[in-house]
Amino acid sequence: MAVINYLTTVQFDHGAIRLIGAECARLGIRRPLIVTDPGIRLSGLLDRLRDNLPAELGFAVFDQTPANPTEVAVKLGVTAYRAANADGIIAIGGGSSLDLAKAVALMATHPEPLVRYAAIEGGVARITAAVAPVIAIPTTAGTGSEVGRAGVILLDDGRKLGFLSPFLLPKVAICDPDLTLGLPPMLTAATGMDAIAHCIETYLSPLINPPAEAIALDGLTRAWANIERATSTGSDRDARWNMMMAAMEGAMAFQKGLGAVHSLSHPLGALHDLKLHHGTLNAVLLPPVLRFNAPNVGDKYSHLARVMGLAPGADIAVAIAGLNARLGLPPGLRSMGVPHDALDGIATAAPKDHCHGTNPRAASVAEYRALLEEAWV
């Protein structure tokens, strides 16, 4: 039997940030903690949020989200939440800020330690409806964390783990494509490839969820048609609208499960000192994983080729690699600074990731190691 769940309230359009006051009132949030990062403050986007908050709304700001959200940052965020006597969270930024906000909302209302709520530690059942309400405002078009039931956190023990629960879904997502107009080209490309990876992996997941597959294909259609235009002409509002929609759809779809790309990118993202970008990792890993999965996906590659506008029988992996090159993304893990001697540890960690079980072809440690070698160019 298939169990299918969708999802949360989304306010989506140019200028949607103007609705933040009404959404706080609807949810009964009077003292929000704003969770963001230093770049959002410097960009002026935090000021834009503040300008749209009602004057009577009291709020505090936590702007120390790191590039890959950490357990240390979660603890600092919880301290800020309690010091402000907050009753909810407004998260504004990329996937890191949104994921951190979910973890803060969890740990402000649940007993420590954080690790007991990780999916691979049996934590899904331990997360309750007590999670503080979150309003998510994405400023990139990639992770789709604003409509996702998961957050990924780098723990103190060095593992980068997923925390999954319907209670972690933001109560509302405010998706305003205008907030992405100033996004630099390389970040536009990398986050856009994250959305493409989500759409492709969830479509290929063997679980039964036809609505998710339909959403994934629509998201891929939009992303494939608009990512190069959004990257080269960042002020193109139509391209930005479609990329934000594709990112949201990718996350709506990955309720069905992801796969080996993410099983590898999560432990790679936990490598100390490198600060590897998740979307860039997914872009680099997609071609070898697509080749690996080919014997186990039936006719799904022909459907992907169709929505990507490729010729019948086109090699999807070659098409992705070509797009990466046109976008100016790195050709492989070596050029991203990943040391070759780290590959064994990543391959060992990959089968323990929560995305491993929904890859269409089961991968052994040795096969994960071979995929990494193929991506290490």
Side-chain angles (χ1 to χ4, degrees), residues 108-175:
T109 53
H110 288 66
E112 296 181 337
L114 176 61
V115 67
R116 73 189 301 265
Y117 304 104
I120 66 168
E121 299 287 346
V124 175
R126 300 186 183 114
I127 300 174
T128 74
V131 173
V134 175
I135 297 174
I137 307 174
T139 60
T140 64
T143 70
S145 185
E146 66 273 8
V147 294
R149 60 193 170 94
V152 180
I153 304 294
L154 180 56
L155 299 187
D156 291 343
D157 64 13
R159 293 182 295 168
K160 192 173 185 179
L161 299 185
F163 297 79
L164 285 74
S165 169
F167 299 121
L168 292 179
L169 272 168
K171 298 298 184 186
V172 64
I174 296 179
C175 296

Side-chain angles (χ1 to χ4, degrees), residues 136-291:
I137 307 174
T139 60
T140 64
T143 70
S145 185
E146 66 273 8
V147 294
R149 60 193 170 94
V152 180
I153 304 294
L154 180 56
L155 299 187
D156 291 343
D157 64 13
R159 293 182 295 168
K160 192 173 185 179
L161 299 185
F163 297 79
L164 285 74
S165 169
F167 299 121
L168 292 179
L169 272 168
K171 298 298 184 186
V172 64
I174 296 179
C175 296
D176 186 342
D178 289 350
L179 302 182
T180 68
L181 292 175
L183 204 63
M186 282 301 94
L187 193 53
T188 298
T191 54
M193 287 305 300
D194 193 20
I196 285 174
H198 291 161
C199 292
I200 290 175
E201 281 217 291
T202 200
Y203 178 66
L204 297 177
S205 163
L207 300 188
I208 298 172
N209 193 329
E213 293 189 2
I215 292 169
L217 289 176
D218 187 77
L220 179 59
T221 301
R222 294 177 187 276
W224 192 263
N226 288 277
I227 187 170
E228 292 182 81
R229 188 153 49 103
T231 299
S232 63
T233 310
S235 60
D236 187 320
R237 297 175 82 234
D238 181 66
R240 292 294 193 181
W241 192 99
N242 277 286
M243 288 307 299
M244 183 163 276
M245 181 60 74
M248 186 188 75
E249 288 183 304
M252 284 183 167
F254 71 51
Q255 308 297 311
K256 182 173 177 271
L258 294 167
V261 170
H262 281 76
S263 295
L264 290 167
S265 65
H266 287 153
L268 279 163
L271 289 174
H272 293 295
D273 302 324
L274 289 182
K275 295 183 173 61
L276 299 171
H277 187 270
H278 178 69
T280 308
L281 286 169
N282 288 345
V284 166
L285 292 164
L286 255 176
V289 170
L290 285 168
R291 286 188 282 269

Side-chain angles (χ1 to χ4, degrees), residues 21 23-33 53-60 84-90 133:
E23 291 299 334
C24 283
R26 183 174 67 83
L27 295 173
I29 297 176
R30 297 178 179 85
R31 299 178 306 278
L33 175 70
L53 288 171
E56 67 274 12
L57 198 69
F59 64 87
N85 194 27
D87 58 2
I89 294 174
I90 300 172

